Amino acid sequence: MTKLLPSPFSSLLAVVFISLISIVHCCSPSDQTALNAFKSSLSEPNLGIFNTWSENTDCCKAWYGISCNPDSGRVTDISLRGESEDAIFQKAGRSGYMTGSIDPAVCDLTALSSLVLADWKGISGEIPPCITSLASLRVIDLAGNRITGEIPAEIGKLTKLAVLNLAENRMSGEIPPSLTSLAELKHLELTENGISGVIPADFGSLKMLSRALLGRNELTGSIPGSISGMKRLADLDLSRNHIEGPIPEWMGKMNVLSVLNLDSNSLTGPIPGSILSSSGFGVLNLSRNALEGTIPDVFGSTTYFMALDLSHNNLSGRIPDSLSSAKFVGHLDISHNRLCGPIPMGSPFDHLEASSFSDNQCLCGGPLMKTC
């Protein structure tokens, strides 16, 4: 049988093919340069996560927290979390601590779709404004650091952005008007910063948003009416701000909204009956405001609250009897109001402690051990 020898042409094709594979899977030199500059502005002394970021290794294959497009070799993801179940954290037996700042060189990673640099506790400085030029960004998560400055004014340029998490930093300034043009945004978390000003009137333009967590800031003004048109909003937290005015009736008619935290603001007026009669809420916290009037007698067999907190307001009158007909109320706190009369019998009152009713004007019965 004649043995066929490879032709010079086929050998050349094989060399070219192997070379192409090598080229495709190697980290882009410009991206590796940008990552080195990014690393040079950060210091992580305990876990050694940057030890893998070596000049002699491919950033797409061996660098901790880096992912690339397998076809182009461009860096697509930086995923560095200071709290993780990754082996490097398990071995060290501790969470991470990183200092430094975000180098503007990160903006040279033009294929970047995810920037996660969260829970390191010590990263400071401002978010580079040029980050808004990264058109492919879908995730920005910088939570749990000491970042200062304002949300980039042109954040609205990131038309693919789905997650923006800047919680637990030291940021200031107002919510930029361009933020409400982020049509793909699903998760917005700005909790525990120093962000001030009013919530943009067109906040409801964020039609895809399911979580809006803006608590523990310095926000002022009233709750924008445009929020009523947010059909996907399931979790709204405006707690510990300076929000004023009444609670809108339409808030109880939002079909998907199940968690509403409005506590520790300056809200006034009565509690809308629609909020308490809604079968969609699981958590409702209206405590520490200046709400007045009676508690609406609108509870029914579809009412289901894992937690209902109306404490520290100016509510008066009796506890509504219909609350006994609720399907479930796990935690109830109506303390520190001006309520009067007997505490109804049965569930949920039979499993609550006296602290849930304390410091009212003339409540009696039930766990208060006070005869009516």
Side-chain angles (χ1 to χ4, degrees):
M1 186 175 181
T2 304
K3 185 176 182 180
L4 296 175
L5 296 175
S7 69
F9 180 71
S10 62
S11 298
L12 178 61
L13 282 176
V15 170
V16 171
F17 181 69
I18 292 170
S19 298
L20 283 173
I21 291 175
S22 177
I23 291 170
V24 163
H25 289 282
C26 283
C27 177
S28 161
S30 61
D31 283 2
Q32 188 150 331
T33 299
L35 286 173
N36 280 324
F38 176 78
K39 179 184 73 169
S40 69
S41 296
L42 298 168
S43 175
E44 190 285 297
N46 300 322
L47 302 173
I49 66 167
F50 289 131
N51 292 345
T52 62
W53 290 34
S54 168
E55 291 283 359
N56 301 320
T57 57
D58 185 344
C59 75
C60 291
K61 297 178 180 178
W63 288 24
Y64 182 87
I66 301 300
S67 300
C68 299
N69 182 306
D71 296 325
S72 66
R74 298 300 308 279
V75 173
T76 56
D77 302 280
I78 298 176
S79 183
L80 300 173
R81 292 190 180 277
E83 296 179 1
S84 171
E85 296 182 359
D86 194 273
I88 195 170
F89 291 85
Q90 298 294 327
K91 184 177 179 180
R94 63 188 301 170
S95 60
Y97 182 75
M98 188 184 294
T99 57
S101 60
I102 303 171
D103 196 284
V106 74
C107 303
D108 294 332
L109 301 170
T110 55
L112 198 66
S113 65
S114 176
L115 174 60
V116 178
L117 193 63
D119 301 318
W120 291 103
K121 307 175 185 69
I123 296 173
S124 57
E126 299 186 5
I127 300 172
C130 62
I131 203 170
T132 62
S133 67
L134 298 176
S136 296
L137 267 181
R138 296 180 182 275
V139 175
I140 298 176
D141 187 351
L142 306 176
N145 287 295
R146 297 179 183 176
I147 294 171
T148 54
E150 301 184 7
I151 301 171
E154 297 184 333
I155 193 77
K157 287 184 176 180
L158 300 176
T159 57
K160 295 182 180 179
L161 197 66
V163 175
L164 178 60
N165 188 352
L166 305 176
E168 298 177 23
N169 278 290
R170 300 177 180 180
M171 301 191 69
S172 57
E174 300 185 1
I175 298 173
S178 73
L179 186 143
T180 59
S181 64
L182 295 172
E184 298 298 317
L185 194 66
K186 297 177 176 64
H187 180 111
L188 174 63
E189 186 162 3
L190 306 178
T191 310
E192 201 169 330
N193 279 284
I195 295 171
S196 58
V198 301
I199 302 170
D202 61 344
F203 192 79
S205 298
L206 300 169
K207 299 298 184 183
M208 298 296 289
L209 199 65
S210 61
R211 303 190 76 199
L213 309 181
L214 311 180
R216 286 176 278 176
N217 279 290
E218 303 294 332
L219 295 170
T220 57
S222 58
I223 300 171
S226 64
I227 291 178
S228 63
M230 301 175 74
K231 305 302 182 184
R232 297 172 182 260
L233 189 63
D235 188 347
L236 177 61
D237 183 359
L238 303 179
S239 65
R240 302 188 188 186
N241 280 288
H242 308 290
I243 307 295
E244 56 189 13
I247 300 173
E249 181 76 28
W250 50 256
M251 295 202 89
K253 300 175 183 178
M254 297 181 69
N255 293 333
V256 178
L257 190 62
S258 60
V259 178
L260 179 60
N261 288 303
L262 301 177
D263 59 283
S264 305
N265 279 291
S266 301
L267 296 169
T268 55
I271 298 174
S274 62
I275 283 186
L276 298 182
S277 63
S278 172
S279 59
F281 281 109
V283 175
L284 178 61
N285 190 346
L286 307 180
S287 67
R288 299 182 185 275
N289 280 287
L291 300 172
E292 55 192 8
T294 61
I295 300 175
D297 194 1
V298 292
F299 300 92
S301 59
T302 61
T303 305
Y304 190 102
F305 284 107
M306 290 181 288
L308 174 60
D309 194 342
L310 308 178
S311 66
H312 293 270
N313 279 289
N314 296 316
L315 301 173
S316 58
R318 298 166 61 94
I319 300 173
D321 291 330
S322 64
L323 190 52
S324 298
S325 65
K327 183 177 182 180
F328 178 78
V329 179
H331 171 78
L332 173 68
D333 192 346
I334 52 176
S335 65
H336 297 86
N337 278 290
R338 301 179 190 175
L339 299 170
C340 272
I343 297 172
M345 303 289 289
S347 179
F349 306 101
D350 53 7
H351 71 263
L352 297 174
E353 298 182 0
S355 59
S356 294
F357 307 96
S358 64
D359 292 288
N360 272 286
Q361 191 167 5
C362 48
L363 278 181
C364 58
L368 288 179
M369 304 300 291
K370 180 181 178 181
T371 305
C372 292

